[in-house]
């Protein structure tokens, strides 16, 4: 009897003790700590758009680099071991993966488009759609058929199917139409101009960018059979819309109000190929080199003013007097490197990328997505090929304006006057009247207008027109050149069936639809 | 007889005193042994093994002492009892600390475990516990992935189970769940023993944390008896055991000669080599050394030139390293009386590394005490370790192998005073003076670890005890990384020139690398980690007839929180002042906080039938914050799991089996299913982090996270089966322990790569399935067991393999890490990780000939990556020999690992620079074992077509880029540790009257290493990561070393 009470008594003590301890754990609130304290659980479209625009630059810089090589603008110095991927075209589906970054970037634009209404920030939709069209067009130009209608749907479509590239191009024109309607429908609020690091809330500029992008998409198709009526109709629609194209300025991201002198927060071109935030020369400044053929073309038309903006003389920029070269700025000191040569042209003995892109200390220049000169020269080609379009100017006037815009964009002193001198200089492919093949003149001048700014577009134009006749890489025997990139192994490994459905990709024979020869 | 019986009835309650002595089997006294009676008395034997204790007649004395088997003696009528203890020849009744501190007799354990004593740990006097365990336990693989003053290890039991998650063993310190940090900071001398619980069953009670097995460390609590003070001193040297194989025929040069096909191409390769020579090159593709005087670098501002013989300097790279040194001093105090014990130790361990200036300094203190108050036992341990490291953050090794063989590197240490060593005068255009880079880029950090346990054991009744243990741990790191400011002179930038007669037409002025000034950088980082763990247990121990039962009911609470802060500046204004305030531009940095909580209930029941059939069941129910959301059902974040184990002692069940040959046979089998909350913290949330670099001043930018979590995520489960047996033969002089196991892990939480076209790059989802299986055998033989001469041999073999059974539908493989040309992967239906590299194109005729370009003669590269084999060793063999003769003892441990491949990026790098011995064939030659395809596609063996520019292009542009060249078998044999010791005889010591014991020893670690003959590069254990993707090494691991030293132990 005694014994039992003894145990009973202790039992109740243990019981309480156990309950007391267990009591802490039993409450759900004790484990309700699973909310990430390091990262936000939601985001408003304004903040997402700012990052998306900035991320577009850090993605497109890579595509532009490869484009600059394959368009014949740039090559590499022999201070670095020659990259066989780029200069022997010895690349695989593991190289040049611009795909993943761009689709990641697209997701942010899509987020803005999808959430703008709900957040009462409708004015973000138009610009986000224009940027979406800009990136999708770059993807088609590199990869052909790609996921478009089924893309960016998250878990709702884990294996996005691919769309036909021609249909995507048509849909991008429609997307830009929608974007223009969106921009016109809702006035930009002040919240927008803070987030918009491209045009700072200028609606007209956005519409002009949309129209310019349409011109780019349409001119790409200019040689595709049976597209004449379509292109004419679409160009005429732009003329009717009336806002025009970007003129006397470039489409640029960031600028001095955005970039700051902090590691990783300067203009990404400047950061990669020129100087760090504190003005120390980047090791990679010794890598890219203007190609000898580019110099030959410029010298051939006495176009030395643009040459001296495109490149620094050998030895690069003089740090003490930014914007000038270390060596005397005489043409003999502008040493271009033959494309793809593997020896004999070390960095200090050859020309650096010039002051049109890099001046020490000017880390806050906008990152250029599109130049006005490109669009004027595209309009020249359209007018030349399809005289029926209602564009008000002549092919010659667009051509000449394109060249003047190029002088301006490169920062040539007295740009208009000096451009006019070139245009009247009597040299073929510079002076309109002296050029027997007008399309060749347009292509050559566009090729020059794209130097340093739009490498991917230059490669696209080269593939589309086969102009100018840039030399083959020194290390390559035969005439083969890459026409496109491989679908990256990341996509092939995770969206296998849909990638397989595109057939065997041979980068030396499989062409993008606008590349007809 | 009748009287005796009567008197028995009378004296039953009377106590009397007996005296006696505890000895070993040879009759030597065993001081400090614990003597307990069944009636509740406990005393300790004194220094001479003598004891005195109150007993009642019929009482049973239980005598225990470390390193001896427990002896039980029935008290008869005598007043003196001499107890002879048997050494640990037979470990049948050894008590093992198993999961959650539950003590079990060895025979009751139904799964595989290993127990390592302090003595085994300290053979090689390694200051690091993990390294000291290498090769000593079957099924345990300790990967010494890095060799520096802060070595990194990866500790894996029985291979990999998880495809992408954690595969490392749990570390338990005195019952508390800690982290692998403990393995690198604990003083190995403080360890009483280490129990390795290899399988899932062993660790069921630890919950998810124990899924990969557990390393259970028990520290010393003090021996009862009078105060004992021990002092130990160890000092050893650390010397490079091998470097990659270097060529010593060619000096600095690169591809300056006009290339094939270019105008001005020279057909004589010797002429091309001369053209390739440059005095400022990092590559080593110049002409052959000829002993003449040549300049290195350019003319300095003061006009001086560094002119040296153009001839290789013997061992110039190995001389660039120092001989390292480790000095370990420690003192410990222990003692106690019948009801209490205490232990205290102090340690200082200083290392100076082989990389000049690298050093570490560890100070630790540990105190522990136990006290009995009647039915209440109280104990605590507390330790504090502070370890400081000062290392270069620069890749010193890489820069060394980028210097040609005729550069007297060791003379260029003093870059502050030697103008040719200073960055303004250093000869190399591409790589700076490695000594400058090493000095200018430092990382200094201090790790502090405070850990404590407090436990209470209250014996409520004969069959019930209440137990509670509270453990806390605090880890912190404070770190500062600095890069010094260095601005190059204008002369170095623009004017330094190559003088005649060494100049070439297209040379340029100014040192290429000097164009980039170094503006300095500072980054400051702190991290703290706090862990609290409380275990409350009810322990029942009751026999019913032939059944003896032990039941533990437990309740566990665990909380871990971390905080990290970093601030960085990317400039230094005033040189030498390393404060983030001394900067221009913005501060950058970040913060990260985590908190996780878990609680669980568990039960462990062991029922033994007549001591020969033992069944053990375990059950645990866990609730984890990692899967908790208020909107999720309870089943999503709480989960039960269980296991059962059976032991059958055949020799006790059927005593007739016992004989002179066989004295013990046990069979064991177990099954269990363990839950695992293996999900990244906060993995349930899709989040919106700052975009790269944001904020830019006032501009805010956010991005949609890249990993989309599946809405139905839940914990994964691992199912294990194990069978095993133990045999002891010839009076336990031979013992054999074998096991076979298989583990299947289903519903693994995987970060699956999804197409980026979905907008996400990854999906976090329960999909993966992996299988892991293996065999283990431990054989121990006492070959000689004489009074003076003893020799014991042990061999341990383990085989482990695994397979990725299932990944996400449609996905056959994914990459774990590495380079674009050589990486580790998980591939469906194969073992993992698998090394894949690019390689040669082989002739389709099966001849094994390597195809070359029919024009240039260069080998063709197959750009698609091909599987080269698994990177985890399948076979691990450990071998131990212990020989003692009188006061001398010699212990040696070897380890072999094999059945895996490794990739050495070092090889690729040294082909680029031309430093590798394998690039020595620079004369025009036919690429060995090659063939080409003729116009019709027929394979033509190549006997005449020479590689065009064998002096450069063949190596740098072709051979280098075929990663198959640097893929080698990963096997090795190492002498892990060796120790020759001498115990100063007691007769000598007693005369001195100061010491009670003294011993000296010579020891070594990794004295020799044998690797595959095709492995020219480095230690196959090294790896660029401690993650799952091991098997790839590069220059970020310093060269392999051997250590040898001297140890002195004194006790007072």
């Amino acid at each position: 009897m005694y014994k039992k009470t003894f145990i009973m008594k202790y039992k109740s003590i243990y019981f309480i003790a156990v309950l007391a301890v267990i009591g802490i754990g039993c409450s759900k609130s004790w484990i309700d700590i699973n909310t990430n304290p390091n990262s936000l659980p939601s985001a408003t479209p304004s903040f997402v758009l700012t990052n998306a625009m900035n991320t577009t630059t850090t993605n497109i810089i890579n595509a532009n680099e490869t484009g600059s090589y394959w368009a014949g603008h740039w090559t590499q110095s022999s201070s670095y071991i020659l990259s066989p991927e780029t200069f022997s075209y010895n690349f695989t589906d593991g190289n040049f993966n611009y795909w993943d970054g761009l689709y990641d970037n697209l997701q942010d634009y899509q987020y803005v488009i999808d959430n703008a209404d709900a957040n009462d920030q409708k004015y973000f939709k138009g610009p986000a759609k224009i940027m979406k069209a800009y990136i999708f067009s770059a993807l088609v130009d590199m990869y052909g058929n790609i996921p478009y209608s089924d893309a960016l749907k998250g878990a709702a479509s884990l294996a996005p199917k691919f769309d036909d590239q021609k249909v995507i191009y048509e849909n991008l024109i429609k997307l830009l139409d929608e974007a223009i309607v969106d921009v016109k429908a809702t006035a930009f609020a002040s919240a927008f101009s803070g987030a918009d690091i491209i045009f700072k809330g200028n609606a007209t500029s956005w519409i002009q960018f949309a129209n310019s992008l349409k011109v780019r998409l349409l001119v790409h198709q200019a040689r595709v059979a049976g597209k004449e009526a379509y292109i004419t109709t679409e160009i005429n629609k732009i003329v009717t819309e009336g806002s025009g194209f970007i003129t006397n300025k470039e489409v640029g991201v960031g600028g001095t109000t955005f970039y700051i002198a902090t590691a990783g927060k300067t203009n990404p071109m400047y950061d990669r190929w020129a100087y760090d935030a504190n003005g120390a020369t980047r090791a990679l400044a010794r890598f890219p080199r203007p190609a000898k053929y580019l110099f030959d073309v410029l010298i051939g038309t006495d176009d030395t003013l643009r040459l001296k903006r495109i490149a620094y003389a050998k030895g690069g920029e003089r740090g003490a007097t930014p914007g000038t070269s270390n060596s005397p700025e005489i043409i003999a000191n502008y040493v271009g490197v033959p494309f793809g040569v593997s020896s004999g042209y070390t960095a200090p003995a050859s020309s650096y990328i010039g002051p049109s892109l890099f001046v020490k200390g000017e880390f806050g220049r906008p990152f250029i997505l599109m130049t006005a000169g490109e669009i004027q020269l595209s309009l020249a080609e359209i007018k030349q090929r399809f005289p029926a379009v209602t564009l008000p100017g002549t092919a010659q006037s667009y051509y000449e304006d394109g060249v003047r815009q190029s002088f301006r964009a490169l920062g040539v002193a007295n740009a208009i006057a000096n451009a006019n001198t070139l245009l009247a200089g009597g040299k073929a492919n510079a002076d309109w009247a002296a050029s027997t093949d007008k399309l060749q003149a347009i292509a050559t001048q566009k090729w020059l207008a794209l130097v340093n700014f739009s490498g991917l577009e230059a490669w696209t134009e080269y593939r589309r027109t086969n102009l100018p006749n840039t030399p083959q890489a020194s290390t390559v025997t035969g005439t083969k050149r890459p026409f496109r990139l491989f679908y990256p192994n990341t996509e092939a490994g995770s969206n296998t069936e849909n990638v397989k459905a595109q057939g065997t990709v041979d980068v030396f024979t499989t062409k993008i639809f606008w590349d007809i020869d | 007889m009748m009287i005796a019986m009567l008197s028995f009835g009378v004296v039953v309650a009377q106590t009397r005193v007996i005296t006696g002595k505890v000895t070993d089997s040879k009759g030597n006294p065993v001081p400090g042994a614990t003597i307990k009676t069944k009636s509740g008395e406990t005393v300790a034997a004194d220094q001479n093994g003598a004891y005195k204790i109150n007993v009642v007649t019929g009482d049973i004395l239980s005598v225990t002492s470390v390193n001896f088997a427990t002896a039980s003696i029935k008290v008869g009528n005598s007043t003196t009892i001499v107890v002879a203890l048997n050494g640990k020849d037979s470990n049948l009744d050894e008590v093992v600390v198993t999961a959650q501190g539950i003590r079990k007799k060895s025979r009751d354990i139904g799964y595989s475990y290993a127990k390592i004593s302090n003595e085994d740990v300290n053979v090689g006097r390694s200051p690091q516990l993990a390294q000291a365990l290498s090769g000593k336990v079957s099924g345990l693989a300790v990967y010494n992935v890095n060799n520096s003053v802060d070595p990194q290890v990866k500790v894996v039991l029985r291979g990999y189970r998880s495809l992408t998650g954690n595969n490392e063993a749990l570390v338990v310190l005195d019952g508390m769940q800690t982290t692998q940090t403990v393995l690198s900071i604990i003083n190995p001398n403080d360890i009483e023993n280490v129990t390795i619980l290899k399988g899932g069953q062993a660790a069921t009670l630890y919950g998810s944390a124990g899924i990969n097995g557990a390393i259970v460390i028990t520290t010393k609590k003090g021996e009862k008896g009078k105060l004992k003070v021990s002092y130990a001193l160890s000092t050893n040297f650390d010397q490079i055991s091998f470097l990659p194989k270097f060529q010593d025929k060619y000096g600095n040069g690169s591809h300056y000669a006009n290339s094939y096909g270019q105008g001005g191409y020279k057909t004589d390769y010797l002429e091309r080599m001369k053209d390739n020579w440059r005095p400022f090159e990092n590559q080593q593709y110049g002409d052959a050394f000829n002993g003449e005087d040549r300049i290195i670098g350019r003319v300095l501002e003061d006009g001086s030139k560094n002119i040296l013989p153009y001839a290789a300097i013997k061992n110039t790279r190995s001389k660039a390293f120092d001989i390292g040194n480790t000095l370990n001093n420690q003192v410990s105090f222990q003692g106690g009386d019948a009801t209490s014990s205490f232990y205290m130790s102090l340690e200082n361990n200083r290392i100076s590394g082989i990389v000049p200036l690298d050093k570490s300094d560890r100070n630790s203190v540990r105190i522990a005490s136990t006290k009995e108050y009647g039915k209440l036992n109280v104990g605590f341990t507390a330790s504090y370790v502070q370890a400081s490291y000062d290392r270069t953050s620069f890749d010193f090794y890489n820069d060394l192998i980028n210097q040609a063989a005729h550069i007297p590197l060791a003379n260029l240490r003093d870059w502050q005073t030697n103008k040719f060593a200073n960055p303004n005068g250093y000869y190399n255009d591409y790589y700076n003076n490695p000594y400058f880079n090493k000095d200018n880029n430092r990382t200094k950090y201090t790790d502090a670890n405070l850990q404590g346990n407090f436990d209470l054991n209250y014996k409520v009744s004969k069959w019930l005890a209440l137990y509670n243990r509270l453990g806390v741990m605090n880890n912190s790191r404070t770190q500062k990384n600095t890069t010094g400011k260095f601005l190059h002179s204008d002369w170095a930038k623009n004017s330094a020139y190559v003088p005649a007669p060494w100049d070439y037409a297209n040379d340029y002025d100014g040192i290429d690398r000097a164009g980039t000034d170094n503006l300095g950088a500072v980054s400051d980082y702190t991290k703290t980690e706090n862990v609290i763990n409380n275990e409350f247990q009810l322990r029942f121990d009751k026999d019913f007839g032939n059944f003896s039962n032990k039941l533990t009911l437990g309740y566990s609470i665990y909380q871990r929180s971390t905080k990290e802060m970093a601030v960085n500046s990317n400039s230094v204004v005033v040189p030498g002042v390393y404060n983030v305030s001394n900067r221009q531009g913005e501060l950058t940095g970040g913060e990260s906080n985590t908190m996780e909580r878990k609680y669980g209930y568990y039960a462990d029941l062991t029922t033994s039938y007549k001591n020969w059939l033992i069944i053990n069941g375990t059950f645990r129910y866990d609730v984890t914050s990692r899967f908790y959301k208020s909107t999720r059902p309870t089943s999503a974040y709480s989960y039960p799991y269980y296991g059962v184990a059976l032991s059958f002692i055949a020799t006790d069940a059927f005593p007739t089996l016992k004989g002179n040959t066989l004295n013990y046979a046990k069979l064991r089998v177990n099954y269990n299913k363990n839950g695992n909350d293996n999900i990244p913290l906060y993995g349930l949330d899709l989040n919106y982090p700052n975009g790269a670099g944001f904020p830019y001043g006032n501009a805010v930018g956010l991005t949609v996270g890249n990993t989309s979590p599946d809405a139905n995520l839940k914990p994964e489960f691992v199912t294990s089966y194990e069978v095993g047996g133990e045999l002891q033969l010839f009076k336990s002089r031979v013992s054999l322990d074998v096991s076979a196991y298989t583990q299947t892990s289903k519903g693994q939480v995987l970060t699956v790569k999804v197409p980026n076209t979905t907008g996400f790059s990854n999906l976090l989802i329960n999909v993966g399935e992996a299988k892991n299986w293996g065999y283990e055998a431990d054989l121990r033989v006492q070959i000689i067991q004489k009074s003076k001469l003893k020799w014991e041999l042990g061999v341990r073999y383990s085989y482990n393999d695994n397979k990725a059974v299932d990944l996400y539908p449609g996905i056959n493989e994914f990459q774990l890490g590495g380079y674009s040309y050589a990486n580790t992967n998980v591939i469906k239906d194969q073992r993992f990780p698998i090394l894949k590299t690019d390689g040669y194109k082989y002739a389709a005729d099966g001849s094994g000939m390597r195809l070359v370009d029919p024009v240039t003669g260069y080998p063709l590269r197959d750009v698609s990556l091909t599987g080269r084999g698994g990177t985890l060793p399948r076979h691990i063999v450990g071998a131990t020999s212990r020989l003692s003769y009188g006061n001398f003892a010699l212990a040696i441990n070897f380890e072999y690992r094999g059945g895996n491949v490794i990739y050495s990026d070092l090889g690729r790098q040294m082909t680029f620079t031309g430093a590798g011995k394998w690039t020595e064939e620079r004369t025009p030659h036919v690429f060995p074992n090659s063939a080409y395809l003729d116009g019709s596609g027929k394979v033509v063996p190549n006997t005449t077509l020479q590689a065009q520019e064998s002096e450069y292009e063949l190596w740098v542009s072709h051979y280098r880029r075929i990663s198959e060249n640097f893929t080698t078998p990963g096997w090795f044999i190492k002498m892990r540790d060796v120790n020759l010791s001498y115990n100063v005889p007691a007769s000598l010591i007693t005369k001195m009257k100061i010491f009670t014991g003294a011993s000296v020893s010579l020891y070594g670690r990794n004295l020799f290493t044998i690797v595959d003959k095709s492995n020219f590069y480095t230690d196959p254990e090294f790896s660029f990561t401690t993650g799952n993707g091991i098997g790839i090494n590069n220059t970020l691991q310093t060269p392999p070393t051997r250590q040898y030293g001297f140890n002195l132990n004194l006790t007072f």
Side-chain angles (χ1 to χ4, degrees), chain A residues 14 25 28 30 34 38 40 47 51 54 81 84-85 104 107-108 152 154 158 262 265 278 281 286 343 491, chain B residues 255 257 460 512 515-516 519 570 593 597 599 629 637 688 693 695 702-704 706 757-759 808 912 952 961:
Chain A
Y14 312 142
K28 276 189 178 179
W30 193 71
N34 199 25
N38 304 314
L40 296 169
F47 297 142
N51 174 62
N54 188 48
I81 297 302
E85 285 79 7
D104 184 30
Q107 184 199 28
D108 282 355
L152 310 176
L158 283 174
T262 295
K265 301 186 189 186
N278 297 311
T281 309
R286 300 192 276 274
S343 64
E491 189 74 14
Chain B
H255 198 209
V460 177
D512 198 344
T516 298
L519 293 168
N570 291 292
N593 305 291
R597 286 173 174 163
Y599 62 88
K629 284 277 163 192
Y637 57 86
Y688 298 84
L702 301 174
T703 182
V704 183
N706 289 331
T757 47
T758 61
Y808 189 62
F912 169 72
Y952 185 88
R961 301 180 73 245

Side-chain angles (χ1 to χ4, degrees), chain B residues 534-726:
Chain B
N534 192 77
E535 302 290 336
F536 175 76
Q537 292 173 0
L538 296 173
R539 293 174 172 176
F540 302 89
D541 187 347
K542 182 113 179 109
D543 298 350
F544 298 106
N546 284 326
F547 293 91
S548 72
N549 307 288
K550 280 186 178 173
L551 172 67
T552 303
L553 297 177
Y555 172 66
S556 165
I557 299 176
Y558 178 86
Q559 172 182 299
R560 176 174 179 266
S561 59
T562 64
K563 180 171 186 70
E564 287 173 82
M565 292 283 289
V567 284
N568 318 303
S569 88
N570 291 292
S571 60
V572 169
V573 177
V574 177
V577 178
Y578 296 114
N579 186 306
V580 290
S581 311
N582 180 29
R583 69 166 198 280
Q584 58 190 85
E586 275 193 319
L587 262 188
T588 57
E591 170 188 356
S592 170
N593 305 291
T594 68
M595 165 84 91
E596 65 176 307
R597 286 173 174 163
K598 282 177 214 186
Y599 62 88
Y601 310 92
Y602 51 89
D604 180 276
L605 175 68
T606 305
T607 295
S608 165
Y609 174 71
K610 287 188 169 172
N611 222 9
W612 55 258
L613 183 66
I614 303 105
I615 185 162
N616 170 226
T618 52
F619 173 85
R620 183 165 169 132
Y621 179 80
D622 267 346
V623 184
T624 171
S625 72
R626 284 184 178 237
F627 283 90
Y628 182 83
K629 284 277 163 192
S630 58
T631 49
R632 307 188 93 216
T634 313
S635 63
Y637 57 86
S638 55
Y639 46 103
Y641 47 97
Y642 42 83
V644 61
L646 200 68
S647 303
F648 173 67
I649 320 290
T651 39
D652 285 0
F654 308 104
T656 49
L657 287 174
K658 272 197 203 175
N660 282 335
T661 313
L662 180 70
N663 57 316
Y664 180 69
K666 171 179 160 184
L667 273 175
R668 51 174 202 253
V669 54
N670 72 70
Y671 160 84
N672 69 304
K673 187 180 171 188
N674 282 348
N676 187 8
D677 60 344
N678 197 358
I679 181 179
L681 261 174
Y682 309 118
L684 297 175
D685 295 320
L686 170 63
N687 56 46
Y688 298 84
N690 276 348
F694 278 94
Y696 277 57
N698 293 327
V700 178
L702 301 174
T703 182
V704 183
N706 289 331
T707 299
S708 174
D710 182 72
N712 302 313
L713 280 167
K714 51 185 188 295
E716 63 188 43
F717 284 91
V718 180
T719 311
S720 319
Y721 299 88
E722 180 189 317
V723 294
E726 293 158 39

Side-chain angles (χ1 to χ4, degrees), chain A residues 262-285:
Chain A
T262 295
K265 301 186 189 186
T266 58
N267 176 311
M269 291 286 273
Y270 180 89
D271 190 41
R272 180 175 301 177
W273 304 122
Y275 300 97
D276 74 9
N278 297 311
T281 309
R282 286 288 185 203
L284 276 182

Side-chain angles (χ1 to χ4, degrees), chain B residues 382-404:
Chain B
S383 69
Y384 179 71
V385 185
Q386 186 175 304
S388 300
Y389 305 88
D390 181 354
R391 305 165 55 191
T392 182
S393 51
F394 200 80
D395 191 351
F396 182 66
Y397 194 10
N398 185 56
D399 274 22
L400 279 184
I401 59 177
N402 273 298
Q403 319 287 345

